[in-house]
Amino acid sequence: MSSTLTPSKSGLSEKPLVTPSQPNLVGEFVQETLALTRRLFIQLQRRPSTLAAGIIQPLMWLILFGALFQNAPQGLFGDRISYGQFLGAGVIVFTAFGGALNAGLPVMFDREFGFLNRLLVAPLASRFSIVMASAIFITTLSLIQTAAIVVMSALLGAGLPNAFGLALVAFIVLLLVLGVTGLSLGLAFALPGHIELIAVIFVTNLPLLFASTALVPLSFMPKWLQVVATLNPLSYAIEPIRYLYLHNDWSFSSIIMQAPFGNVSLGGALLILVGFCTLALISIQPLLRRRLA
Amino acid sequence: MAAVFIEKLQKRYGSVEAVKDVSLTVQSGEIFGLLGPNGAGKTTTLRCLCTLTEPDSGTIEVSGISVVDNPRQARQRLGYIAQEVALDKVLTGRELLELQAALYHLPKATAKQRIAEMIDLLGLDEWADKRTGTYSGGLKKRLDLAAGLLHQPDVLVLDEPTVGLDIESRSTVWNFLRRLREAGTTVLITSHYLEEIDALADRVAIIDRGVVIASGTPSELKDRVGGDRITLRIREFSPTDEAQQAKSLLESLPTVQEVIINPAQGNSLNLVVTPNSEALMGVQQALQKAGLPTFGIAQSRPSLDDVYLTATGRTLLDADLAAAGSRDAKAEKKQNMR
């Protein structure tokens, strides 16, 4: 410790640097959101293991799980397609979902370590910048993962949707990730600690996967599971992506799923996803307002 | 206008009344100390001041701005240094300061200049570009101080600034706070260390169980208690009956007002005496006459602990120990989480 800590007169007694009389709220919101996002990306850059694991894991799914059903009779999973081709969409959605589900963890740790207090005593334009930064970060991460899976499944022979189809895949992932990230951040503020949050993530993750069309088509399932799977938002992300992969002649009115209650079109699935995302984001508003207002 | 004005602050967590009645005024440019045992309501008071917790009732103003009605403006004027330093260990010191600057919306050029100044001021040059995870406790505190001062707050608020620091770091923090005051910054600190408040504070409020029980300058408070203190040890460890014997002997002296036996200190005797030089001599002569030895004897002015003792009937240390036994660490952690 040095003993020469002398505050200079000029350094400490100037006029306030910030003039609160003319706040540029939008500019300030952008500034704080970017700074918080930058923090998350610096963390990622210095601890790349999360991203590495997030890319390796879905590739393992593709290779290992794909191989598991390699010898299934042709046509079992749909017209003239192999299980590998069938599986790609499920892995994309499951990976994005898992990442988004974990979005609340860093926020929870910030709460527990007191780092969040540093943000809360600062004159933020809006504390929603904290949520915004997480959403930007997780969405970017999911899109990177999705790109890696698309490339890998193309290499494994699953083919590629056309350019517009790929854009639509990205859009679907975006909707799902935004909604789930919102719910996870809501939980991060509602639950008492990271143990509880991890427990919730644990009981949500795999059941939602198995109760969706990620691994097998709807027609494979018993009736009751079909009902559950068609209530599961994940199915409405998986089926459109799968359809885009297998059909280059798609349109928004293409029927992508024969649910017990009727046929679902591509456009219909997208609407349901938009609804899910909106609902999720609206449902956490009162909670965030209470915790962050 | 007062830098900080708190009146009739109340805050309860469930059935616990953390703050019952706290009123205090911090003048611009002074170091104000909030002294009290653990669990007295110091941290809750600061959390209400810094807008981390909403008070149940009462007024809190920073430079005349209500923290409840205008929290953003109040936050701009406050710098808050929490007791536990929370840094992101993956970031470097400079990156943390850059984040902090953006959270206070400093323009880029100003931020760069201020960060350089703060790094220089706190002697962090060598460390600024290393990750905070590699810092020692003292370094972390210095970085936290730099972060708290970056936006040039009117009032720097520090919660137990030297808990857990080594002696050298502690004196560095003390010196730094004194120099801040010289430069005109108002400082509000809490502490349960008497020496810390005695060494730093221009004025002090003593808080116990959520209530301010005394306030003024340290010497005012000590004068108000009156009398000098004599600490007497007959032997290093005196038997109880001998201590009792000495007690009744000394109580009969005209200069001695009160005698308390402290079993925690080997049955040493604490005397309150008339503040003059004969008191000490009188005690020594009386002991000699009775044939009792003297292991150690010292006369002193009353301390802030005596102020606390007079007001509450227990010493700060006792109160601290009692508080430590009855605290629910988990519940407190929950309160402090947002």
Side-chain angles (χ1 to χ4, degrees):
Chain A
M1 284 244 152
S2 79
S3 54
T4 54
L5 308 181
T6 314
S8 60
K9 205 82 184 165
S10 63
L12 289 160
S13 51
E14 282 165 14
K15 286 281 132 212
L17 297 167
V18 189
T19 40
S21 48
Q22 297 166 320
N24 168 15
L25 278 183
V26 176
E28 291 184 352
F29 184 77
V30 171
Q31 186 186 15
E32 67 207 29
T33 306
L34 288 182
L36 290 168
T37 312
R38 176 172 175 246
R39 172 185 171 223
L40 296 172
F41 277 104
I42 292 175
Q43 287 177 339
L44 181 69
Q45 185 199 336
R46 303 216 172 126
R47 286 189 296 209
S49 51
T50 326
L51 182 60
I55 289 178
I56 293 168
Q57 195 212 29
L59 299 189
M60 289 302 189
W61 274 93
L62 277 180
I63 296 167
L64 295 178
F65 219 86
L68 212 55
F69 290 94
Q70 198 176 15
N71 294 333
Q74 279 281 322
L76 194 62
F77 295 97
D79 307 327
R80 299 177 307 280
I81 62 164
S82 70
Y83 188 66
Q85 287 168 300
F86 177 86
L87 189 64
V91 173
I92 288 174
V93 169
F94 176 59
T95 306
F97 173 68
L101 205 53
N102 283 308
L105 268 178
V107 173
M108 180 59 97
F109 284 123
D110 276 355
R111 276 179 73 202
E112 292 186 10
F113 289 126
F115 196 89
L116 188 68
N117 284 343
R118 186 181 290 284
L119 313 182
L120 297 182
V121 296
L124 299 181
S126 163
R127 286 170 170 182
F128 283 98
S129 52
I130 300 168
V131 176
M132 192 73 172
S134 290
I136 293 174
F137 175 70
I138 293 294
T139 317
T140 313
L141 215 59
S142 296
L143 290 179
I144 294 173
Q145 287 175 311
T146 304
I149 300 167
V150 167
V151 169
M152 188 65 187
S153 36
L155 291 177
L156 289 173
L160 270 178
N162 58 27
F164 191 40
L166 278 176
L168 204 54
V169 169
F171 179 66
I172 291 167
V173 168
L174 201 73
L175 282 176
L176 182 75
V177 167
L178 267 183
V180 177
T181 299
L183 291 177
S184 179
L185 289 171
L187 284 174
F189 283 105
L191 296 175
H194 72 273
I195 303 282
E196 289 80 359
L197 182 58
I198 290 173
V200 171
I201 292 172
F202 207 72
V203 289
T204 321
N205 206 356
L206 285 181
L208 273 175
L209 170 73
F210 292 134
S212 77
T213 57
L215 303 177
V216 295
L218 213 49
S219 55
F220 262 42
M221 303 178 187
K223 208 66 178 181
W224 68 267
L225 191 55
Q226 285 190 18
V227 174
V228 176
T230 47
L231 292 174
N232 183 346
L234 292 188
S235 299
Y236 294 88
I238 296 164
E239 289 301 315
I241 293 177
R242 183 168 291 150
Y243 193 87
L244 291 170
Y245 254 99
L246 300 176
H247 305 81
N248 269 326
D249 55 341
W250 58 270
S251 77
F252 285 111
S253 56
S254 312
I255 300 302
I256 56 159
M257 184 162 66
Q258 270 130 15
F261 50 80
N263 289 342
V264 179
S265 68
L266 180 58
L270 289 180
L271 276 182
I272 287 173
L273 273 183
V274 171
F276 162 74
C277 182
T278 316
L279 208 67
L281 292 180
I282 289 175
S283 70
I284 60 165
Q285 294 304 313
L287 179 76
L288 292 182
R289 233 174 266 288
R290 202 167 62 236
R291 295 284 178 153
L292 291 177
Chain B
M1 185 174 48
V4 176
F5 174 74
I6 299 179
E7 194 175 52
K8 297 205 172 79
L9 177 67
Q10 273 189 320
K11 176 71 194 176
R12 61 161 60 242
Y13 294 107
S15 63
V16 183
E17 261 193 308
V19 173
K20 275 181 221 155
D21 180 11
V22 168
S23 300
L24 54 91
T25 307
V26 181
Q27 300 300 340
S28 197
E30 71 177 354
I31 298 184
F32 190 96
L34 196 54
L35 174 69
N38 278 321
K42 304 187 297 292
T43 298
T44 306
T45 304
L46 291 199
R47 288 180 63 85
C48 290
L49 170 64
C50 295
T51 74
L52 283 172
T53 300
E54 207 165 326
D56 293 340
S57 67
T59 310
I60 311 180
E61 288 175 3
V62 178
S63 306
I65 296 163
S66 160
V67 305
V68 177
D69 301 336
N70 291 306
R72 270 202 82 198
Q73 289 187 34
R75 285 177 200 134
Q76 244 146 14
R77 288 171 161 74
L78 287 165
Y80 175 58
I81 315 286
Q83 179 177 340
E84 303 217 347
V85 186
L87 305 171
D88 184 330
K89 65 180 178 185
V90 178
L91 299 185
T92 66
R94 190 185 305 278
E95 284 161 349
L96 183 94
L97 292 177
E98 283 164 358
L99 172 63
Q100 186 92 8
L103 297 180
Y104 285 82
H105 310 114
L106 303 192
K108 238 190 170 109
T110 320
K112 206 171 167 199
Q113 182 205 334
R114 285 293 297 162
I115 290 170
E117 280 173 20
M118 282 299 121
I119 286 175
D120 185 46
L121 191 62
L122 284 141
L124 292 166
D125 313 66
E126 232 186 291
W127 294 90
D129 294 308
K130 298 200 167 85
R131 296 186 194 182
T132 64
T134 64
Y135 287 16
S136 68
L139 262 177
K140 284 182 183 162
K141 203 66 183 188
R142 270 150 68 187
L143 179 62
D144 210 10
L145 280 169
L149 287 167
L150 204 56
H151 63 291
Q152 297 184 320
D154 292 355
V155 184
L156 185 67
V157 179
L158 302 104
D159 194 4
E160 303 270 5
T162 62
V163 163
L165 291 190
D166 58 90
I167 293 176
E168 206 185 343
S169 303
R170 181 193 268 209
S171 77
T172 309
V173 170
W174 285 9
N175 286 335
F176 184 72
L177 293 181
R178 288 198 187 102
R179 286 174 183 144
L180 271 184
R181 169 180 53 190
E182 280 163 31
T185 304
T186 311
V187 178
L188 169 59
I189 67 170
T190 71
S191 185
H192 66 287
Y193 294 139
L194 292 161
E195 329 86 84
E196 183 155 86
I197 297 294
D198 230 350
L200 287 177
D202 300 306
R203 290 193 313 124
V204 56
I206 300 182
I207 177 171
D208 184 58
R209 295 173 182 153
V211 179
V212 172
I213 53 173
S215 65
T217 68
S219 53
E220 262 172 31
L221 292 180
K222 292 174 198 168
D223 287 347
R224 218 178 287 161
V225 185
D228 269 12
R229 299 302 188 270
I230 289 180
T231 314
L232 165 69
R233 297 187 120 176
I234 299 171
R235 302 174 199 280
E236 191 170 8
F237 299 98
S238 312
T240 313
D241 53 338
E242 195 175 61
Q244 283 292 350
Q245 184 201 343
K247 182 180 177 201
S248 45
L249 172 76
L250 294 173
E251 268 171 345
S252 64
L253 293 179
T255 51
V256 175
Q257 293 157 14
E258 201 185 342
V259 181
I260 300 164
I261 298 175
N262 188 346
Q265 296 286 330
N267 282 330
S268 70
L269 299 170
N270 296 324
L271 288 69
V272 181
V273 298
T274 319
N276 59 39
S277 52
E278 278 130 56
L280 189 65
M281 229 150 42
V283 169
Q284 283 174 317
Q285 281 167 357
L287 288 172
Q288 254 168 16
K289 234 182 254 173
L292 287 169
T294 308
F295 177 74
I297 187 164
Q299 185 170 7
S300 60
R301 302 277 304 131
S303 69
L304 285 174
D305 202 13
D306 297 314
V307 177
Y308 183 79
L309 180 69
T310 313
T312 65
R314 49 187 191 150
T315 66
L316 263 175
L317 189 65
D318 293 340
D320 244 5
L321 290 174
S326 66
R327 284 186 112 173
D328 183 345
K330 204 171 169 196
E332 271 172 45
K333 175 141 190 160
K334 209 172 156 190
Q335 280 166 19
N336 292 341
M337 261 172 67
R338 279 289 291 257

